Amino acid sequence: MAVNLLAIESSCDDTSASVLQDGNILSNVVANQDVHQLYGGVVPEVASRAHQENILPVVDAALKKAGISKKELDAIAFTRGPGLIGSLIVGVSFAKGLALSLNIPLIQVNHMDAHVLAHFAEDPKPDFPFLCLTVSGGHTQIARVDAPDNMTILGKTIDDAAGEAFDKTGKLLGLPYPAGPIIDKNSKLGSALFNFPKPKVGELDFSFSGLKTSIRYFLQKEREKNINFIEENMNDICRSVQDRIVSILMDKLETAADQTGIKEVAIAGGVSANNALRASIKEVGEKKGWNTYIPAFQYCTDNAGMIAVAGYFKYLNKDFVGQDVAASARI
Amino acid sequence: MEWIVKSEIELPAVLKEMLETAGNRKKWMFTGDLGAGKTTMIKQICKILGCNDDITSPTFSIVNEYEVEKGVIFHLDLYRLKDLEEALNMGIEEYLDQDVYCFIEWPAVIKPIWPLDAVQISVQILDDSTRKILFL
């Protein structure tokens, strides 16, 4: 008989629910205007109160879209952490309550592991062991993945995440938040005329705080000479910054691949939507003979589909948790 | 109090003095432009307080929780929050109400609910490596 799994994700801004059947994702719903139009009301922003308002319509929509009734569910997976505690509690409590009422097992999932395992949502899937660079607004790390339950962090950021570097650069340039997609778009029309320094940090670790500061001084100095510097050079500045961020990421990924000898290389997280990063991993991959993997965009940003995939691996191992499980901001 | 700090190496001594002066005041509000060094300062303060965790920017996560021997430290960044209501909705009061250190970046959005004894740190950029730090 088919195994139906419901997954819930509420670790930060987005409330999301997904239904998976025998390893295939049937639905992956993130709270947004569409969901709310169905039920009336507007989308609340950041915060646990927003998750409380979102969770029922989102779970309901995920079940309906999958054509599965809650009585057909075999287990419920949820994000236990890391994340914002108030937000996590909403998803964890909901998962526990529903599992208790349906008398089905609970599966806890680590949000960061799930980003990596998002690669198993669709073909092509990487072979073990593979390397995964996870880049988002809040995270930047390289992991060596030997099995779904065996990952080793080889390097991570010591200050800002790569996505934050994009967003804060945008702030300095007067662009709206989140600035990543706009910088990506502007970069296509610009050239990398300006040079920003590479950080000096441990072999596989990242640092983006110094880059932010150097961009700040650069803009300040140029604007003293020409007050319209930013407006007149927007595309070139965007391209220069983007190229630098991508080269910082790719250099470390290349080093990790060289050191481990692993040729299965993947990227994950919201920033993997960036066109320059996608192009760069393909180009470097071809040069180095890697097999490269980039998940579909809906599995890159925070979503319950990846929680479902990670949860299914645990379901197969009967790795369940009891009703005494609690959300954890740091795990 | 006021300090002129010429490089990151001078920071620990200044921060130790701040911690002593602050005594039992545990809610610290850090203001200063992007790139002024707020996260860098908080990183060093947490180290002085005996924290061995990796201290990174909470701009996206809003709250980072670090372990120390006697409990936790909260590192908050309200940069992404638009108004006081959003801060209340994310549970800001639950962090402020606990008797633990809260180091808060971009705290202007919650100014109406700052504790009366909040420590105020303002970091001003003088040049590439020099900062003026005000402590209230």
Side-chain angles (χ1 to χ4, degrees):
Chain A
M1 233 175 61
V3 172
N4 296 317
L5 197 133
L6 171 71
I8 292 164
E9 150 71 26
S10 69
S11 65
C12 198
D13 297 0
D14 299 320
T15 323
S16 179
S18 170
V19 175
L20 172 144
Q21 185 171 68
D22 294 336
N24 300 310
I25 291 177
L26 301 181
S27 65
N28 186 23
V29 178
V30 179
N32 59 26
Q33 204 63 50
D34 296 343
V35 172
H36 278 268
Q37 268 162 6
L38 285 174
Y39 293 85
V42 290
V43 187
E45 301 281 334
V46 185
S48 48
R49 214 166 288 171
H51 287 294
Q52 290 172 34
E53 290 170 28
N54 285 333
I55 197 143
L56 263 173
V58 166
V59 168
D60 201 36
L63 287 168
K64 281 199 177 115
K65 216 172 154 187
I68 298 283
S69 77
K70 60 181 190 297
K71 292 209 159 38
E72 293 173 275
L73 293 174
D74 295 288
I76 300 177
F78 62 93
T79 306
R80 183 177 170 218
L84 193 58
I85 192 74
S87 299
L88 287 166
I89 285 173
V90 177
V92 175
S93 309
F94 188 90
K96 283 164 70 172
L98 190 57
L100 187 64
S101 72
L102 297 171
N103 196 23
I104 54 176
L106 276 169
I107 301 164
Q108 63 168 5
V109 172
N110 176 310
H111 179 85
M112 291 305 293
D113 291 354
H115 267 302
V116 174
L117 296 174
H119 286 283
F120 296 89
E122 288 174 345
D123 286 329
K125 296 164 184 166
D127 289 329
F128 296 106
F130 68 93
L131 292 177
C132 186
L133 169 70
T134 307
V135 262
S136 68
H139 304 283
T140 303
Q141 66 170 43
I142 299 177
R144 177 197 164 107
V145 188
D146 286 284
D149 58 353
N150 184 3
M151 298 186 203
T152 318
I153 309 296
L154 302 178
K156 58 186 167 183
T157 182
I158 60 160
D159 41 51
D160 300 354
E164 185 178 344
F166 277 108
D167 290 331
K168 295 239 162 123
T169 299
K171 170 94 173 173
L172 294 170
L173 295 173
L175 301 173
Y177 181 94
I182 306 168
I183 292 178
D184 193 5
K185 203 173 123 221
N186 291 345
S187 294
K188 283 183 196 150
L189 306 168
S191 311
L193 300 180
F194 312 110
N195 190 29
F196 298 107
K198 268 194 185 178
K200 294 183 193 74
V201 280
E203 232 170 22
L204 293 174
D205 284 335
F206 299 93
S207 167
F208 291 100
S209 174
L211 177 65
K212 172 180 74 190
T213 311
S214 74
I215 293 168
R216 187 200 162 83
Y217 294 131
F218 168 77
L219 295 176
Q220 199 174 321
K221 274 181 193 137
E222 293 297 332
R223 292 191 76 218
E224 279 166 18
K225 288 182 262 172
N226 170 11
I227 189 72
N228 295 319
F229 179 79
I230 292 179
E231 293 76 7
E232 288 169 15
N233 297 279
M234 181 61 92
N235 295 338
D236 294 335
I237 301 169
C238 286
R239 176 66 183 265
S240 307
V241 171
Q242 175 165 287
D243 278 12
R244 175 50 80 217
I245 294 173
V246 169
S247 73
I248 291 170
L249 294 170
M250 287 308 301
D251 280 4
K252 301 285 180 166
L253 190 56
E254 254 190 273
T255 309
D258 289 347
Q259 281 181 1
T260 57
I262 294 173
K263 288 187 181 297
E264 296 283 298
V265 182
I267 55 173
V271 178
S272 50
N274 179 276
N275 281 297
L277 181 60
R278 294 173 95 97
S280 186
I281 189 173
K282 278 192 189 127
E283 189 194 312
V284 175
E286 271 166 30
K287 194 179 80 194
K288 292 265 186 180
W290 299 344
N291 294 317
T292 57
Y293 303 89
I294 309 171
F297 185 67
Q298 65 158 324
Y299 302 118
C300 287
T301 49
D302 289 352
N303 70 92
M306 66 183 196
I307 305 301
V309 172
Y312 187 61
F313 281 117
K314 289 194 162 188
Y315 180 89
L316 296 175
N317 285 331
K318 302 223 178 314
D319 185 358
F320 304 132
V321 288
Q323 281 284 337
D324 56 342
V325 68
S328 174
R330 35 170 298 147
I331 49 176
Chain B
M1 280 200 278
E2 185 182 314
W3 293 269
I4 304 287
V5 176
K6 292 205 173 74
S7 90
E8 223 179 295
I9 305 162
E10 296 177 17
L11 257 184
V14 171
L15 298 173
K16 273 181 197 152
E17 209 179 324
M18 282 185 193
L19 278 166
E20 277 165 29
T21 313
N24 274 327
R25 298 159 68 194
K26 291 184 179 168
K27 305 295 175 282
W28 294 37
M29 310 295 166
F30 289 80
T31 54
D33 286 345
L34 216 66
K38 298 180 290 295
T39 306
T40 306
M41 285 177 72
I42 292 168
K43 212 173 206 181
Q44 299 239 17
I45 297 173
C46 290
K47 277 208 181 111
I48 295 170
L49 291 171
C51 172
N52 294 319
D53 287 341
D54 295 315
I55 288 137
T56 54
S57 168
T59 295
F60 187 75
S61 56
I62 304 175
V63 184
N64 283 354
E65 201 177 312
Y66 308 127
E67 245 165 42
V68 278
E69 205 184 316
K70 284 180 209 147
V72 293
I73 295 172
F74 291 118
H75 179 189
L76 292 92
D77 186 333
L78 310 184
Y79 181 84
R80 297 198 301 131
L81 302 184
K82 283 198 288 290
D83 50 35
L84 181 60
E85 200 192 333
E86 268 197 5
L88 293 172
N89 280 349
M90 62 71 58
I92 185 75
E93 290 161 305
E94 279 158 51
Y95 295 99
L96 295 177
D97 284 349
Q98 298 181 46
D99 184 29
V100 297
Y101 278 107
C102 287
F103 300 116
I104 308 180
E105 303 187 46
W106 304 97
V109 75
I110 57 157
K111 194 143 193 192
I113 59 162
W114 282 13
L116 292 174
D117 67 345
V119 172
Q120 294 177 51
I121 311 273
S122 132
V123 193
Q124 245 177 290
I125 302 175
L126 298 184
D127 66 44
D128 287 24
S129 59
T130 316
R131 300 288 186 273
K132 183 162 134 184
I133 303 173
L134 288 167
F135 175 101
L136 273 177

